[in-house]
Amino acid sequence: MDAKTAKTKNAKLTVGDNSWDFPIYDGTIGPSVIDISKLYAATGQFTYDPGFTSTGSCESKITYIDGDEGILLYRGYPIEQLAEHGDFLETCYLLLYGELPTPSQKAEFDYTVTRHTMVHEQMSRFLQGFRRDAHPMAILVGSVGALSAFYHDSTDISDPVQRMIASIRMIAKVPTLSAMAYKYSIGQPFVYPKNELDYSSNFLRMCFAVPCEEYKVNPVLARAMDRIFILHADHEQNASTSTVRLAGSSGANPFACIAAGCACLWGPAHGGANEAALKMLAEIGTPERIPEYVKRAKDKNDSFRLMGFGHRVYKNYDPRAKIMQKTCHEVLAELGIKDDPLLDVAMELERIALHDEYFIEKKLYPNIDFYSGITLKAMGFPTTMFTVLFALARTVGWIGQWKEMIEDPNQKIGRPRQLYTGATSRDYIPMSRRK
Ligand code: SDX
């Protein structure tokens, strides 16, 4: 990793009669950081930041988010421009290599990824070990981890060639595994990838084609799928990306690290929110019932939260949500879905929430998960597949952040400390003396 931009000034920490200076580094954009890596050695004390709300875990050049301005940049390019003008594999190239590909680089990257989309034939037997009603995320977590049992020739993380092969393999094979998880859950035969199709068309065909008839990909839906993948590709040091970085810091193989990221993403507070948001809209059912749920969301004694609202970083509109909303309307129009009751509830809920003082005060805006569920349901995916689609897209972000961490000469194993408030030292009590 290059040296950080010049150290501009120091931060002074004073505890009692002692004070210490810690260097402050400025990035190219965004908040500066106070380097406290020497704090424990100097003061004998730790910092304390559960949830890492004020902690920068690493230096990165990949993705920048400005939560107050609603800005998201992949390698400096605004998400709105990439989603409008590019395709998902171009975004993958950009995130991995740091620059937009030339026409020949793009053609070669597309060719390489396309020819890694098949999985080892024994993976189909691996999947058949799951119960038919297994959640597709359970299958994805298991099968991505299992890739390390099939592709030993790309698990040596010290070899840059193997790191790139593993990266390409995951970007190429996770859609195939995702489609297999879906097909298995509905009892239909697996569909092999077709090299003449683009990435998102190939994925839609693997999900929805059946052997009994030719499947024609709807180009509007393929474009929408591709744009949804672009929106979900990376997002700075979110929970699942931090999981991948921490797993990778121990030297675990890349397949195991991405499986760990999938597992973390599954949570309803994170990538599982799209499935939870759609279930919430269905439970609300009609616009008339919205006030009852808004009241519950505000009730401190009620654990209910409006799924698809709020974000740790975005304290303004999630820029992805705006594009997601536009894509949602395009898909519904293409499919001739005029009065989707879920969309009616979503639009009214958004209108109410954006004018409610509680949500304004807490800066709770719709996030990317708010409209994605309606769109994916209209495209034919069951709610259980929503987080799988998020994981499929985020695989490139996880891989890019993992590679950046591995290639950082200052990288070391991640090992946080704690504030201990448990029992002080005490002697063992023999069983005979316990009451
Ligand atoms: C993703 O990090 C990323 O970048 C993630 C992601 C990515 O691309 O990787 O963007 C993807 O995970 C999007 C978020 C999807 N999750 C949801 O939609 C679930 C619902 N949202 C909440 O669970 C919550 O908003 C979080 C988890 C997203 C963020 O939580 P924070 O930043 O820890 O905020 P918080 O829980 O401390 O909430 C602050 C206040 C609290 O009230 P007070 O305790 O201050 O009185 O806002 C309230 C919360 O009760 N609040 C909500 C709410 N979200 C926060 N109240 C009602 N409904 C909500 N959705």
Side-chain angles (χ1 to χ4, degrees), residues 130-145:
F130 287 97
R131 283 175 43 144
R132 280 284 180 189
D133 58 356
H135 193 291
M137 275 304 285
I139 297 176
L140 190 67
V141 170
S143 50
V144 170

Side-chain angles (χ1 to χ4, degrees), residues 35-92:
D35 180 348
I36 54 156
S37 49
K38 303 284 188 295
L39 179 128
Y40 179 57
T43 70
Q45 299 176 72
F46 300 134
T47 58
Y48 184 64
D49 183 15
F52 309 120
T53 52
S54 303
T55 294
S57 61
C58 63
E59 177 185 346
S60 180
K61 301 179 188 304
I62 298 175
T63 293
Y64 175 72
I65 304 171
D66 182 326
D68 295 325
E69 299 302 319
I71 290 170
L72 170 56
L73 307 177
Y74 289 165
R75 300 285 190 178
Y77 294 97
I79 189 69
E80 296 84 354
Q81 296 179 26
L82 292 169
E84 182 69 31
H85 303 298
D87 68 20
F88 179 63
L89 283 187
E90 177 184 73
T91 289
C92 289

